[in-house]
Amino acid sequence: MDVPGNLADEERTLVVRARAGDREAFDRIVLAYQARLRGHVARYVPSSQDTYDIVQEVFLEAYRQLSKVDPERPFGPWLWSICRHRLSDFFRRRYQRGHAIESLGLVDEALAQLAAEPDPDPEDEEERSGSRLTDGGAQVPAVTSEW
């Protein structure tokens, strides 16, 4: 991702300041990237807690390795590289521990939520499904089937 001129200059300044030990500068870097990283990781990791943990590991690693960053080069690709490595590590650990089917936990959570919800009132259900609008705006009866 290319950063426009002024933003690239600001990012470069933040990296230089963070390398010199300015924690506020690093905090601003985190704020600039955390939502995008979290969204990227969440596409691959079903657990929100694991997503947050991985993103935190990415920023911890970035902080530890700041001395290796070339401030003249874009910071984003370097950070994304760390993210890819952390995701690889996560999946490697997960499969080594035999948790390759963790996504089934999401099914269990969804079923538990459904079980905790009260059954819908049959009269309310009839009102909701009694008629539907077509694209033309005319009401037509809902199609129901009884088994």
Side-chain angles (χ1 to χ4, degrees):
M1 169 171 93
D2 289 330
V3 180
N6 289 341
L7 290 176
D9 292 341
E10 182 181 351
E11 185 175 88
R12 187 176 309 117
T13 300
L14 289 173
V15 169
V16 168
R17 286 176 43 203
R19 286 182 64 186
D22 183 343
R23 293 184 85 164
E24 183 181 326
F26 189 75
D27 288 346
R28 289 182 59 196
I29 292 170
V30 169
L31 289 173
Y33 282 97
Q34 72 180 351
R36 286 180 286 177
L37 281 175
R38 195 177 308 125
H40 177 73
V41 172
R43 282 191 250 158
Y44 302 101
V45 179
S47 162
S48 62
Q49 184 59 50
D50 287 336
T51 296
Y52 282 103
D53 289 347
I54 291 167
V55 171
Q56 184 177 22
E57 288 175 17
V58 169
F59 285 116
L60 285 172
E61 183 69 19
Y63 187 77
R64 288 185 195 120
Q65 301 296 325
L66 272 175
S67 64
K68 296 180 180 180
V69 174
D70 180 357
E72 297 305 314
R73 299 185 65 179
F75 183 79
W78 181 75
L79 191 63
W80 286 101
S81 174
I82 294 172
C83 184
R84 279 192 306 277
H85 291 306
R86 290 299 133 237
L87 277 168
S88 295
D89 291 345
F90 170 79
F91 288 116
R92 190 176 308 113
R93 286 191 311 261
R94 184 170 129 194
Y95 287 118
Q96 286 174 348
R97 284 188 260 155
H99 296 290
I101 310 177
E102 185 178 322
S103 61
L104 289 179
L106 294 176
V107 173
D108 291 340
E109 288 175 28
L111 290 174
Q113 285 178 336
L114 285 173
E117 292 177 2
D119 290 333
D121 186 307
E123 290 180 12
D124 289 343
E125 193 65 24
E126 266 183 47
E127 286 178 20
R128 275 186 267 148
S129 65
S131 65
R132 298 193 181 155
L133 295 177
T134 65
D135 288 336
Q139 290 193 336
V140 295
V143 177
T144 59
S145 63
E146 294 182 12
W147 296 67

